[in-house]
Structure formats: C-alpha cells, structure tokens
Amino acid sequence: MTSSTMSASGRQPTIAVVGGSITGPVTALLLLRAGFDDITVFEAAPASAPLGGGLIGLEHPALDVLDRLGIPQHEIVAHHSEAIVQINVRDRQPAETIRRTYPGRNTTWTLLHQALTRRLPAGVLHSGMKVTALAEEAGQPVLRFRDGHTAPADLVVFADGRSSTGRRLLDPDRILRYAGYVAHRGIADITPVPGLRDFLRLQPCPGVQFNLAPVPGGCDWTFYLNCPSAEYAQRFGADPIRRVFALPRHVSPAARTHVDTHADLLLPAGHAAAVHTTTRMAVPVLDITPPDRMVWPIGTGHAVLLGDALAPVRPHTARGANNGIEQAAGLAAALTQHRKYAADLHGWQHRHLPAAVAAVHRGPVIGRRLGLGTHRPPPPGNPPREERRWLPHGHQDHRDPRRRP
Ligand SMILES: Cc1cc2nc3c(=O)[nH]c(=O)nc-3n(C[C@H](O)[C@H](O)[C@H](O)COP(=O)(O)OP(=O)(O)OC[C@H]3O[C@@H](n4cnc5c(N)ncnc54)[C@H](O)[C@@H]3O)c2cc1C
C-alpha cells in the first residue's frame, strides 16, 4: 500500500465500500470505529427493496468482531444453542443421532443486517447506487454508477457478493461454476419439532440433506437436492450462474412440486408439512476458481475484494459470512497499522487468503461426501501455498481495470 492510499497529505483517506449486506457494513463500522471518517457504503438495492434472509452460523471470531462493534448477542441470536444434531433418517423416521458442538451461534441474515445498518451513521449508506465500472483518473480509483454518477476514492472495498462487479472488473478470469445442486429454503411458521432449539441436519439418503433450525417467527429450513443446470433454468427462469438467488417470484409451480414431492418421499411427515406451507426461495450452489489475491493497486490507490465478492463458498462450509467478517476485521487492523507504521496491505492478503482458499476447496469435498452435485476435478489455479509467489511489498503489478467492460 502506498502512502497516498492513506493520504500523504494528512487528510483522511476516502474509502468507498461497495455492497451493503453483511461484509460491507461490518467493514464500514470497523473503519469508522478505527477513526476513518470519510467512508461511504454504496448499495445497489433501493432503500425500499424488501429484505430478508435465512439462517447464518457465526463462529466465535466473527461473534467477537460484532461484540466489538457494540452488537450484543441477544440482538442477533434468538436461540442460544451451540449444538448441531445430525440425524440419519430411515423410512421417513429419525434414526441414529450424533450431537456436535458448534463453535459459535446462529443468527439470521435479517437480524444481522438490521443490527449493522442501524448503527451506520446517517449519510454513510447510499442505497440504489449500482456500481458498473472502476477507472483510474488522475492516478486515483474512481467508481462509476449505473445512473452516471462517479465517486473517487483512495481505497475501494468490493463487498458486493457472489456476482461481484468488483471481481468481474479486477479478476475476470475467475469464473463461477454451477455445482449441480440447489439449496431450497424458506422460513416456516409451523415448527415440526416441538421446543426446537438446536440446528438439526437430517440425512435421509445420499444426494439429499435437510437442515432445520429455530428462528424468530418459526423455523428456517434448507433442503439440498440435486438438479441439472437445464432443469434449474426451467424451474427458476434462468440458468444458475445468472440467477444466483431465486426469489419467491422466480419459483415456478414446477419447482414447488419438485421440492414438495421430495419432502413427501424422504422427510418425516411433520417436516414435509412444514415445507409444504412455506413461501420459498432457492440458491444454486456454486463453485469458483480459488482466489490468489485480494488487493489491486489502482494508480496511487487500491481496490480490494472481500467476503462473497472475493470467494463465494458452498453453504455447507458455513464460512461465507464468517470469512467476510474476519477479512473486514483484518483490513481495519491493517489500515490502522498502516496509519501509524506504514504497514502493507499485502500482509493482510497474506494473512486472510489461505482461509478463503481453504473454504473454496472444502465445499466440493463436503458435497461429494453427501452425494450432492456433479463431481469434477478441482478447479485449476492455486498451487499449494508454499509454491505460490506472493506479491512483493509495494509491488505495482497487473491488469489495468480500465480495460474491463
Ligand atoms: C443456504 C445458505 C446458508 C448459509 N449459511 C451460512 C453460515 O451458516 N455461515 C456463514 O458464514 N455463511 C453462510 N452462508 C453464506 C452467507 O450468507 C454469505 O457468505 C454472506 O451473505 C455474504 O455476505 P456479503 O456481504 O459478502 O455478500 P452479499 O450478502 O451477497 O451482499 C452483497 C451486497 O452487494 C450488493 N451489490 C451487488 N452488486 C452491487 C453493485 N454492482 N453495486 C452496489 N452494490 C452491489 C448486493 O445488493 C448485496 O446487498 C450461507 C449461504 C446460503 C445460501
């Protein structure tokens, strides 16, 4: 990181965060706490957009970051279980049970997003601002928006999720691939297990997994089922790389029938009934070429990728939000160190990249064990860690983002 990213003139660096879901607001709040005060979060969705999301397990390091942001656990954790209960299902009846301790707690996207965004000071979050391009102008990164606006920054933090514009601009060779199965999910207002407190993982047979956990207002379920790409397009209106989240309005009657039929065949009757009553969504499970960098110099400034923008991982790893929050905390620490001692952002990359790469690799291993998805050899790229050449300190390298569309 050059001194001008942090502003040699002594003025505060201008930091633009792209994405206002989880990783983006966590980054902004941590940087504000660290004393950086020129921060804007740009979110594509309009403020009026209906928001909501399902269960997210957060491990202790991520919970600790939220604690430091003054978010008490009771605000985001409705049930204090630390257990994952794995249940083999035979003939639609629960059979063997294994109980494990999860090193964390469950929240929901909705609770977490609300807790974060309500703590952003007025004027920090700009909704309805979709970033379309990143250019270098007068030696500085400049964001361009769909409505024609531009915003210069010393540091651009892309936290814009699975279909990240930042990743497309900075690291276009890393492509998403459909893994061959779908996480159907919903929040049922009836609970098939009286007094449910733990996270339940039901395994009726290879190629199927059903997860259930209590959330405010009912229970969150996720039903993993194999699905060829062409069938995904028929059921949800577009191919899985284009429709990376299928909202309730995208779920066709055929998709509902597909899920209901499998629930009736494979799950205990109460669980199937809960599925039947639920408005649902679907998330195609995707893999990505593992990242080999997180930082790009743009003139005298920088752009970085964080969270799902860097590397969306399979939901079974339960690492997506954890990675984003841990990377955000590391970035805030690195920038704070830099302000005092001229630390280098590549140190942050060196520290956090291995965990992101490991989670990308772990997803297909879990999928294979569960009989979920199509099994291809691991994606090329990313030689073992010791063989990788890290960018030397302050190295100004690489592709010019201006030539990207
Ligand atoms: C079924 C399921 C279960 C999961 N369980 C877990 C779990 O237990 N633990 C865990 O850690 N993770 C879990 N995850 C993953 C977790 O939900 C994601 O990793 C997390 O939401 C990623 O957060 P993010 O802020 O990085 O990206 P996102 O939540 O995808 O947010 C990106 C934001 O950027 C905005 N945006 C996109 N493009 C632009 C643009 N061009 N300009 C401006 N804004 C833009 C979007 O509108 C969005 O608000 C699960 C995921 C699924 C599907």
Side-chain angles (χ1 to χ4, degrees), residues 23 307-308 311-315 317-325 327 359:
T23 307
D308 276 15
V313 294
R314 295 200 193 186
T317 65
R319 281 301 308 171
N322 282 287
N323 280 345
I325 292 169
Q327 292 155 6

Side-chain angles (χ1 to χ4, degrees), residues 19 21-23 43-44 57 129 131 160-161 165 185 308 318-322:
S21 167
I22 293 176
T23 307
E43 165 55 47
M129 297 291 287
V131 170
D160 53 344
T165 300
R185 68 185 311 189
D308 276 15
R319 281 301 308 171
N322 282 287

Side-chain angles (χ1 to χ4, degrees), residues 260-401:
D260 289 344
T261 307
H262 281 80
D264 287 340
L265 277 173
L266 298 164
L267 302 180
H271 295 66
V275 169
H276 279 267
T277 62
T278 315
T279 303
R280 62 198 75 162
M281 298 169 50
V283 184
V285 177
L286 303 176
D287 289 319
I288 190 161
T289 314
D292 60 12
R293 61 190 299 188
M294 301 167 80
V295 183
W296 283 260
I298 312 282
T300 56
H302 286 82
V304 298
L305 295 179
L306 258 74
D308 276 15
L310 175 72
V313 294
R314 295 200 193 186
H316 314 287
T317 65
R319 281 301 308 171
N322 282 287
N323 280 345
I325 292 169
E326 290 173 21
Q327 292 155 6
L331 182 65
L335 292 175
T336 304
Q337 287 295 302
H338 178 80
R339 189 170 46 190
K340 289 186 182 170
Y341 311 112
D344 191 291
L345 264 188
H346 292 99
W348 166 72
Q349 170 179 282
H350 192 90
R351 167 81 179 75
H352 287 276
L353 197 51
V357 171
V360 170
H361 284 300
R362 199 174 320 131
V365 173
I366 300 173
R368 199 170 307 122
R369 199 170 67 224
L370 295 170
L372 283 164
T374 42
H375 304 303
R376 284 172 286 215
N382 288 82
R385 193 162 167 236
E386 52 285 6
E387 291 171 31
R388 247 183 259 148
R389 282 192 308 115
W390 297 99
L391 288 176
H393 189 88
H395 180 67
Q396 301 279 311
D397 154 66
H398 219 62
R399 294 163 276 210
D400 177 355

Side-chain angles (χ1 to χ4, degrees), residues 8 14 55 63 90 99 121 132 177 185 216 250 257 380 391 402:
T14 301
L55 195 84
L63 290 170
R90 270 196 236 105
R99 196 177 173 86
T132 53
R177 285 175 309 275
R185 68 185 311 189
H250 302 128
T257 305
L391 288 176
R402 288 170 298 182

